[in-house]
Amino acid sequence: MAGKLSVTCGCDMEAKQYEYGGEEKIVYVCPMHPEVQGDEPGRCPKCGMDLVRKGESTGGHTGHNMPTLSHMDHDRAMANPAMAKEMEADMRRRFFISLALTVPIFLYSPAGEGLLSAALPAPIPVSWLLFILTTPVVFWTGSIFITGTYYSLKARKLNMAVLIAFGVLATYLSSLFIMLSGGKETFFEAGAMLVTFVLFGHWLEMKSRRGTSDALHALFNLVPPQARVIRNGKELSILSAEVVVGDIVVLKPGDKVPVDGEVVSGETTIDEALITGESLPISKKAGDMVVGGSINQNGALRFRATKVGSDTVLAQIIKLVETAQNSKAPGQRIADKAASWLVAIAVGAGFITFFGWYVFAGASFLTALTFAVAAVVVACPDSLGLATPTAVAVGTGLGAKHGILFKDAMTLESASKIQAIVLDKTGTLTEGKPKVTDIVAFGGFSEEDVIRFAASVEAKSSHPIAAAIIEEAKRRGISLTEAVDQFRSLSGLGLEAVVDGKHILIGTERLFHDKDIGTESMEKNIGKLLANGKTLSIVAVDNVPVGL
């Protein structure tokens, strides 16, 4: 593997993908259509937008060599305005300006006058007023459709941009001709409303992309900037990007796991909630696997790196999110593919209508032109440019807001056919926060005694179950004992300490089995609680079980 090793930060379709080779290849992509790429600067044949260098303005992190990039630099790069944010701001600005101009255009149009049953005062002739208000809507806010059409035709491609621009320009130019010819029945409002509605769909699409970019930002931040590894018998602190397969990584309490690996020594509990969704920490010991991006709790261990870079579970999740971001729904792809013959149908409908009225029906030129433009506008399926992106944007946006990531737009569309849903109850059907539901006392001890001993010891722990027991003690008004000595956390098993001179042991059945402490007297209660899906903590005082 001679040459340079670099890792890009997933600006497009590849998440932290390793690239081997000499000089880095420069690729230019379209912000609106990431599938459009080129080796040189230019414009997108689909929408006419300038192609940007892959890595520029996409999340702020340019193509860079990760091993030489500090975490501070990466944070600064990720914090820069993302391309999705810039695109959303541009579409939002275009939409609201277009909307602000379209409202008076509609009110002054024949349709608006019919709706209001009254004519609004006009400082100049209404046709000229509509012309003045519509011109910036068509040629500024709607310029992306016109330039997109130019480059699409230049590339001999017909798509939705051509359809939209054709409908808009047909209404605008015909209305201009009618106005200059002395006619009064113009279509300025139709072109303005068409631009406004389609811009609204584009804005929602960009808003959805920005939400996905924010999700990617959060995923990237799960990886710690530094990692502790053992090399040549010494513990070194290196950049997480420099960890290679086979390295022995050291985890201490509170550390984030930098890469995927297999535990070789030590025991601990690891919070994998952000990766797997499991709300409770998972016990890890020699032979167990750990996932990059998860958080170590209170133990220490060493693990051997088995997957790094683009091979890690986290990188695959990032790649999945990016793939979904750049995907199109089947309906949208069908519309794009059908755009060529839909343009022909729209143009054909206009010409047939014009000649039908002008030649065969004997109508005047302006009357025939009026009907022809109406036919073109109706025949253009411009709603496809709004409906599908809007549906996808709203669906993916609501999903991301509630922590649900869709694999791609096709999956979202297929969700309507779902008949049954299988859920993991923890954190899904339940709150994911442990709560004390039952207390069973034995050997002359009261429930309050069991809670007091347990909560006094658990106060030294940060485990979610400990928080639940302490919360129950507060609810009952039980004061905790501060005289807690010789506290020890038995990773994956429980806790032990000395409270008021008494040896307290709290933990699982396995802990009591390992300590040779019999739990026969409470077997019936244990079986009943386990049958109801409860998680148990057994409490013993001086090696005698006293409560559940």
Side-chain angles (χ1 to χ4, degrees):
M1 291 187 218
K4 180 179 69 175
L5 169 63
S6 65
V7 185
T8 62
C9 280
C11 299
D12 187 35
M13 292 294 289
E14 297 298 325
K16 293 189 174 181
Q17 180 184 24
Y18 281 90
E19 298 174 349
Y20 297 92
E23 295 299 322
E24 181 182 2
K25 182 180 179 180
I26 298 177
V27 178
Y28 294 87
V29 299
C30 171
M32 193 72 178
H33 302 91
E35 69 274 12
V36 177
Q37 300 185 3
D39 298 332
E40 299 178 352
R43 289 181 178 269
C44 174
K46 291 188 175 183
C47 64
M49 298 193 66
D50 291 329
L51 300 182
V52 296
R53 184 171 176 174
K54 188 176 181 179
E56 284 184 357
S57 301
T58 52
H61 49 291
T62 59
H64 48 248
N65 195 323
M66 282 289 286
T68 63
L69 183 72
S70 71
H71 186 63
M72 184 180 296
D73 291 333
H74 188 264
D75 273 352
R76 187 185 303 117
M78 291 295 292
N80 284 341
M83 178 168 58
K85 182 178 180 180
E86 296 172 359
M87 288 296 300
E88 184 205 352
D90 179 59
M91 290 298 170
R92 183 178 63 246
R93 181 173 58 253
R94 288 174 182 268
F95 166 68
F96 279 111
I97 292 176
S98 180
L99 179 64
L101 293 172
T102 299
V103 170
I105 290 172
F106 177 78
L107 294 178
Y108 275 101
S109 69
E113 291 181 358
L115 182 65
L116 296 176
S117 300
L120 296 177
I124 59 176
V126 173
S127 295
W128 283 96
L129 180 62
L130 294 178
F131 167 70
I132 294 172
L133 293 174
T134 305
T135 299
V137 173
V138 173
F139 294 103
W140 185 71
T141 61
S143 62
I144 56 175
F145 308 122
I146 298 174
T147 55
T149 297
Y150 170 76
Y151 286 100
S152 294
L153 295 177
K154 187 177 181 181
R156 297 181 179 180
K157 294 181 179 179
L158 296 177
N159 51 30
M160 290 303 299
V162 177
L163 277 173
I164 296 168
F166 183 76
V168 171
L169 291 177
T171 58
Y172 179 82
L173 295 177
S174 63
S175 297
L176 179 60
F177 177 79
I178 292 172
M179 181 188 72
L180 296 177
S181 301
K184 296 183 179 181
E185 195 73 24
T186 60
F187 301 95
F188 287 117
E189 76 281 1
M193 292 176 67
L194 183 57
V195 171
T196 303
F197 279 123
V198 178
L199 283 175
F200 179 67
H202 279 42
W203 174 38
L204 290 182
E205 184 178 0
M206 287 298 100
K207 194 172 183 179
S208 172
R209 285 175 180 259
R210 180 184 175 185
T212 311
S213 297
D214 292 341
L216 285 177
H217 190 170
L219 288 174
F220 277 118
N221 286 339
L222 294 179
V223 179
Q226 302 283 332
R228 300 185 186 91
V229 299
I230 303 296
R231 290 181 179 175
N232 299 323
K234 296 181 179 180
E235 182 177 316
L236 304 175
S237 180
I238 63 174
L239 292 174
S240 297
E242 294 179 343
V243 177
V244 297
V245 174
D247 270 342
I248 300 299
V249 182
V250 179
L251 280 186
K252 296 182 179 180
D255 285 351
K256 287 184 177 181
V257 181
V259 296
D260 297 356
E262 181 181 357
V263 178
V264 295
S265 65
E267 290 189 8
T268 188
T269 54
I270 292 183
D271 182 2
E272 298 180 346
L274 294 176
I275 305 297
T276 65
E278 179 59 52
S279 58
L280 297 180
I282 308 298
S283 298
K284 301 291 182 180
K285 60 183 184 303
D288 291 338
M289 304 302 295
V290 294
V291 181
S294 53
I295 304 173
N296 185 30
Q297 296 292 290
N298 47 24
L301 54 75
R302 296 184 178 187
F303 70 91
R304 180 180 292 105
T306 57
K307 293 181 180 179
V308 300
S310 62
D311 294 328
T312 63
V313 171
L314 181 59
Q316 295 301 315
I317 294 175
I318 293 173
K319 183 176 180 180
L320 185 67
V321 174
E322 289 181 324
T323 301
Q325 183 181 19
N326 295 319
S327 66
K328 287 188 176 182
Q332 194 172 356
R333 287 198 296 268
I334 292 174
D336 289 341
K337 290 180 180 179
S340 56
W341 54 266
L342 289 176
V343 171
I345 290 176
V347 175
F351 277 112
I352 291 174
T353 303
F354 177 82
F355 283 106
W357 280 94
Y358 187 68
V359 176
F360 298 105
S364 67
F365 180 83
L366 288 180
T367 301
L369 180 62
T370 300
F371 285 120
V373 172
V376 169
V377 173
V378 172
C380 277
D382 302 301
S383 58
L384 290 176
L386 171 66
T388 304
T390 301
V392 172
V394 172
T396 55
L398 288 175
K401 182 179 179 180
H402 294 86
I404 301 173
L405 301 177
F406 290 94
K407 182 179 180 181
D408 49 35
M410 181 183 294
T411 303
L412 175 61
E413 189 170 299
S414 301
S416 62
K417 302 176 183 178
I418 293 176
Q419 295 180 336
I421 301 176
V422 180
L423 301 173
D424 172 16
K425 71 177 184 64
T426 305
T428 306
L429 299 181
T430 61
E431 294 182 1
K433 297 179 180 179
K435 181 179 181 180
V436 175
T437 59
D438 302 270
I439 301 174
V440 183
F442 299 89
F445 285 82
S446 65
E447 292 184 359
E448 285 69 20
D449 292 332
V450 174
I451 283 290
R452 182 172 62 84
F453 283 125
S456 297
V457 176
E458 297 284 8
K460 302 289 185 180
S461 172
S462 59
H463 196 280
I465 292 180
I469 294 175
I470 295 172
E471 182 64 28
E472 179 65 15
K474 291 180 180 179
R475 190 184 71 82
R476 292 175 174 243
I478 299 174
S479 300
L480 305 186
T481 303
E482 297 182 1
V484 178
D485 303 311
Q486 301 178 34
F487 173 83
R488 274 208 314 153
S489 175
L490 308 173
S491 185
L493 297 174
L495 306 171
E496 68 174 334
V498 175
V499 179
D500 287 340
K502 300 180 183 294
H503 179 262
I504 307 299
L505 193 65
I506 307 171
T508 63
E509 283 188 277
R510 177 186 165 192
L511 172 62
F512 281 71
H513 181 269
D514 292 346
K515 296 283 187 179
D516 291 326
I517 300 176
T519 57
E520 293 80 6
S521 61
M522 53 179 66
E523 286 298 332
K524 183 177 179 180
N525 298 89
I526 291 176
K528 180 180 178 181
L529 293 173
L530 290 177
N532 291 327
K534 304 295 178 66
T535 299
L536 302 183
S537 284
I538 305 175
V539 181
V541 177
D542 292 332
N543 294 332
V544 177
V546 300
L548 289 171

